[in-house]
Amino acid sequence: MAKYGKDPRAIGALVRDAEVHRDVYIDPEVFELEMEHLFPNSWIYVGHASQLSKAGDFITANIGRQPVVASRHTDGSIHLFYNRCPHKGVKIASEPCGNTGKFFRCPYHAWSFKTDGSLLAIPLKKGYEGTGFTDTQASGGLSRIRNVVVYRDFIFARLSENGVGFEDYFGESLSTIDNMADRSPEGKLAVEAAPIRYMHTCNWKMLVENQTDTCHPMVAHESSAGTAIKVWQREQGESTEKPMAVQLYGPFMSPYEFYEQSGIRIWPNGHGHTGVANSIHSNYSDVEGYLDRMVAAYGEKRAHEILGEVRHNTVYFPNIMVKGAVQILRNFIPIAVDRTLVESWVYRLVGAPDKLYERALMYNRFINAPTSIVGHDDLEMYERAQEGLKSNGNQWVNLRRLYESNEEPDVTAVINGTSERQMRNQFHAWAKFITMDMDQGVEAAE
Amino acid sequence: MISEKTITDFIYREADLLDTMQWQAWLDLFHPEGRYWMPLEWQQQDPVLQPSLMYEDLMLMKVRIERLAGERTFSQKPKSRCHHLLQAPQILVCDPAAGIFRAKTSYIYTETRGDTLERFSGWASHDLVQVGDELKIKLKRIDLVNFDAPFGNIQLFM
Ligand code: FES
Ligand SMILES: [Fe+2]
């Protein structure tokens, strides 16, 4: 039975000022509507241009549940298509990445396509003469996704033909991606390896919300970060320099006051970040030679400006999180209402010392891997929430921390770092983008 | 004198200590510089500048083990248990004169918690050294056959 149909009012009613209805996490129908409306109407991360360094390189990805392929064409341009042969629907690319040479060739009947998606050749072409083939969608080759923007090598796409433009959608939030890329003396990032993949049996939004949930680390991660500190204090002996591992785990146990002061910045359209004044990434030890290279590249003042911006987690609505200071991007890929694939990518700062890449890789396996003790703490909470929300005791999830009745939607503001306002910001955007292209005439039909 | 049988017995005992959750006795099998490594790539060579699932020294392994028993370790309520099914180890090097011992063991590993049960297949490689009359682990390397798949939690040691 369809509870929500395509009724924007019914869906809008799931989001109150400071509460959301549990159906946004547990109702399969709401999940279907997200796939059909929210993801196509939003700008979604596809991949990084460094994964497409040569002509013929391709990567596959999902936008919501839509399988897509991005490719580097002979003229250097990047193109994005639905991963589906126009003949009988066979997936054109079956691997996460590769090089297809001069053209894609469908493995079923050998239709071939240029790397810009256009139809190159069909065997026994004569058989289509006079059949009206040229009037079909198939004759156009691979179905293209036209709204693609490559911003500082980050490839984003919007499936819907119409909607909010890239610049308007992200606005000032792009400053986190800028900061991450600027941390390379050459202003360039490179993907060198596959991501760490981690399957979560929970709704994708729980993961996104958790990125700016600053009241959980000292509680949920006492078991991991707290134990790491305890063991180090006991075993350190004479050594005074904290090992990299302890530097990475330790700050998770920072007290509430630390997070309160470090602040949260929100932006329109559901984006926002923790760690405005400082963050858990502020006190890592210096890497020898790095500052010199930065100063040589940018000058003293600009280099310090770049390295002084140590944001914690930046949420790009709807489903990625970027850590500029540690060069990590986490992609929360929705699989089902209670299933989310998390892919955590590390970027190498081109021209920076290896030690920074080593640290980013270490952070990624400490925090974002299926073997990560911090990950175990978090996933346990998500799984319990996914189960707990089935309870009929209360239909609402409470997001009221530091709520003010005059909160404006879609604004830029810096607030107390323990506020749940970024979560409210996300749900405002959620309601806006999921209903954006729904038929507003439902009311009349009732 | 360390023989091939000594190595094989050592590997069986190591797995048994994990299955019976004798964590301290298991840790004692490691050399002070020992490492536990789970690569994330096929035939990976570099644990530091290539991504891994785990690359841990004794201190990090102690953290994991103490965490398992923690009062506020919620992901261990209920507790996990594990089971190793090992093929006979293949002895790659047994050189008492040089003090180098290497073996590779094919295994099926099961980890269970509450009503869930997950199964993994792969190869465990042991780099061992002789300390006194005993063998110690310099490196235990775990290569999963499907290292590139997305797993749920893996909370114990393979
Ligand atoms: S399905 Fe692709 S060529 Fe037939
Ligand atoms: Fe967390």
Side-chain angles (χ1 to χ4, degrees):
Chain A
M1 187 187 70
K3 261 203 261 182
Y4 299 104
K6 305 239 169 185
D7 179 357
R9 279 184 321 167
I11 293 156
L14 293 169
V15 178
R16 295 177 179 167
D17 286 344
E19 285 177 320
V20 288
H21 194 270
R22 56 133 177 221
D23 280 4
V24 306
Y25 305 100
I26 63 169
D27 187 322
E29 188 197 344
V30 174
F31 181 81
E32 291 302 319
L33 292 169
E34 288 179 336
M35 295 303 105
E36 210 178 313
H37 298 275
L38 177 70
F39 277 75
N41 290 338
S42 307
W43 285 90
I44 305 296
Y45 179 67
V46 175
H48 193 259
S50 66
Q51 298 169 272
L52 305 170
S53 52
K54 300 182 303 294
D57 282 353
F58 70 87
I59 52 172
T60 56
N62 282 293
I63 296 182
R65 261 185 327 207
Q66 294 290 308
V68 298
V69 194
S71 75
R72 178 77 75 174
H73 191 43
T74 30
D75 66 0
S77 55
I78 287 174
H79 296 264
L80 190 66
F81 336 104
Y82 289 92
N83 191 358
R84 175 216 195 272
C85 179
H87 181 208
K88 296 189 78 181
V90 167
K91 268 184 160 184
I92 289 295
S94 59
E95 291 172 294
C97 60
N99 185 288
T100 192
K102 294 216 180 326
F103 54 88
F104 289 102
R105 180 176 182 273
C106 179
Y108 202 1
H109 312 97
W111 289 26
S112 58
F113 313 92
K114 294 186 196 158
T115 44
D116 67 356
S118 54
L119 186 62
L120 177 65
I122 298 181
L124 297 171
K125 187 97 191 256
K126 277 207 186 76
Y128 289 95
E129 275 168 20
T131 62
F133 176 71
T134 47
D135 301 330
T136 64
Q137 194 184 340
S139 68
L142 297 168
S143 296
R144 256 170 275 202
I145 295 151
R146 278 167 223 288
N147 295 300
V148 178
V149 170
V150 182
Y151 181 83
R152 298 205 66 171
D153 284 348
F154 288 75
I155 308 168
F156 287 91
R158 194 191 70 215
L159 294 182
S160 301
E161 285 288 330
N162 303 309
V164 181
F166 180 84
E167 295 286 338
D168 286 342
Y169 182 85
F170 285 120
E172 287 172 29
S173 72
L174 293 170
S175 52
T176 294
I177 288 179
D178 287 334
N179 181 257
M180 178 154 72
D182 289 344
R183 282 170 175 265
S184 147
E186 299 174 26
K188 265 174 64 181
L189 301 168
V191 168
E192 287 198 352
I196 289 183
R197 308 173 78 208
Y198 190 178
M199 190 60 83
H200 281 58
T201 42
C202 68
N203 187 268
W204 64 276
K205 293 188 292 304
M206 289 182 187
L207 279 141
V208 181
E209 279 165 53
N210 190 60
Q211 305 309 308
T212 61
D213 184 325
T214 55
C215 288
H216 89 279
M218 66 296 281
V219 181
H221 299 307
E222 184 186 334
S223 97
S224 48
T227 306
I229 293 170
K230 214 169 69 194
V231 172
W232 161 244
Q233 283 170 348
R234 195 183 63 220
E235 312 254 328
Q236 71 184 107
E238 302 296 293
S239 59
T240 47
E241 209 208 321
K242 270 192 207 165
M244 197 187 271
V246 180
Q247 291 185 30
L248 298 181
Y249 279 130
F252 278 73
M253 289 308 286
S254 305
Y256 291 113
E257 301 73 51
F258 170 85
Y259 289 102
E260 281 187 315
Q261 290 156 12
S262 63
I264 286 179
R265 181 182 280 120
I266 56 162
W267 289 296
N269 296 329
H271 319 299
H273 78 93
T274 46
V276 180
N278 60 344
S279 78
I280 65 164
H281 306 309
S282 295
N283 291 321
Y284 299 157
S285 46
D286 292 335
V287 168
E288 206 188 314
Y290 178 47
L291 182 62
D292 295 346
R293 291 193 212 178
M294 289 294 283
V295 170
Y298 294 102
E300 193 83 35
K301 182 165 168 279
R302 179 76 188 122
H304 282 102
E305 227 169 69
I306 293 165
L307 299 176
E309 186 74 55
V310 194
R311 295 177 184 180
H312 178 200
N313 291 342
T314 299
V315 169
Y316 287 99
F317 183 82
N319 70 325
I320 62 167
M321 181 279 279
V322 173
K323 265 183 193 301
V326 208
Q327 302 88 52
I328 286 174
L329 180 149
R330 301 185 75 199
N331 192 359
F332 308 110
I333 303 166
I335 307 284
V337 68
D338 56 358
R339 209 167 160 77
T340 305
L341 169 60
V342 186
E343 292 192 339
S344 300
W345 296 85
V346 175
Y347 305 91
R348 191 196 264 266
L349 297 169
V350 177
D354 284 350
K355 204 80 190 163
L356 286 154
Y357 188 52
E358 177 185 339
R359 181 156 75 197
L361 290 171
M362 187 186 259
Y363 188 93
N364 209 31
R365 71 172 180 267
F366 278 5
I367 313 299
N368 301 330
T371 39
S372 150
I373 51 180
V374 169
H376 299 157
D377 294 336
D378 282 325
L379 178 51
E380 178 68 14
M381 298 306 121
Y382 308 142
E383 283 180 343
R384 289 193 193 194
Q386 196 70 32
E387 283 298 304
L389 287 173
K390 291 177 189 159
S391 148
N392 291 330
N394 180 350
Q395 308 263 316
W396 296 88
V397 167
N398 191 299
L399 303 175
R400 200 163 288 270
R401 191 171 167 72
L402 293 173
Y403 172 68
E404 292 170 68
S405 57
N406 58 355
E407 278 178 8
E408 292 281 327
D410 287 328
V411 294
T412 299
V414 173
I415 48 177
N416 180 306
T418 59
S419 173
E420 287 171 339
R421 183 152 177 199
Q422 171 54 19
M423 303 177 202
R424 301 192 282 274
N425 190 34
Q426 282 160 209
F427 276 107
H428 175 79
W430 183 89
K432 181 166 82 174
F433 286 98
I434 197 171
T435 57
M436 191 166 268
D437 61 338
M438 282 181 190
D439 185 5
Q440 303 295 325
V442 170
E443 243 172 300
E446 276 172 353
Chain B
M1 184 71 162
I2 287 172
S3 65
E4 296 203 354
K5 178 156 190 316
T6 325
I7 300 172
T8 307
D9 289 348
F10 180 91
I11 289 169
Y12 290 149
R13 171 147 181 273
E14 194 239 346
D16 188 56
L17 290 174
L18 288 171
D19 289 354
T20 51
M21 292 188 258
Q22 299 185 61
W23 304 120
Q24 190 52 50
W26 179 72
L27 271 181
D28 291 343
L29 298 181
F30 280 80
H31 184 273
E33 303 288 304
R35 293 281 189 284
Y36 180 97
W37 183 23
M38 264 176 109
L40 197 61
E41 286 184 33
W42 180 244
Q43 300 187 333
Q44 187 171 330
Q45 293 305 314
D46 185 345
V48 174
L49 291 177
Q50 286 184 284
S52 299
L53 286 167
M54 281 170 73
Y55 184 59
E56 312 224 325
D57 59 13
L58 268 184
M59 192 193 80
L60 290 171
M61 288 189 265
K62 277 182 198 165
V63 171
R64 277 180 194 273
I65 283 168
E66 282 191 34
R67 177 184 172 277
L68 290 174
E71 182 50 41
R72 291 182 174 157
T73 303
F74 303 107
S75 79
Q76 283 298 301
K77 295 170 187 251
K79 290 210 171 298
S80 301
R81 290 190 300 272
C82 68
H83 176 256
H84 289 75
L85 181 64
L86 306 184
Q87 198 178 50
Q90 197 186 332
I91 309 294
L92 303 175
V93 182
C94 180
D95 187 344
I100 306 173
F101 311 92
R102 283 205 188 106
K104 184 174 163 183
T105 310
S106 192
Y107 69 87
I108 292 175
Y109 171 79
T110 307
E111 193 171 300
T112 176
R113 180 177 170 241
D115 294 342
T116 64
L117 181 144
E118 302 286 343
R119 220 158 246 158
F120 305 85
S121 301
W123 302 268
S125 302
H126 289 80
D127 276 17
L128 308 170
V129 287
Q130 189 173 350
V131 178
D133 339 318
E134 289 184 314
L135 286 173
K136 294 282 176 193
I137 301 172
K138 263 313 252 292
L139 178 69
K140 181 174 182 185
R141 171 179 171 142
I142 296 290
D143 285 281
L144 286 167
V145 68
N146 60 340
F147 56 88
D148 47 2
F151 306 113
N153 284 350
I154 300 171
Q155 298 202 59
L156 305 180
F157 298 90
M158 281 193 202

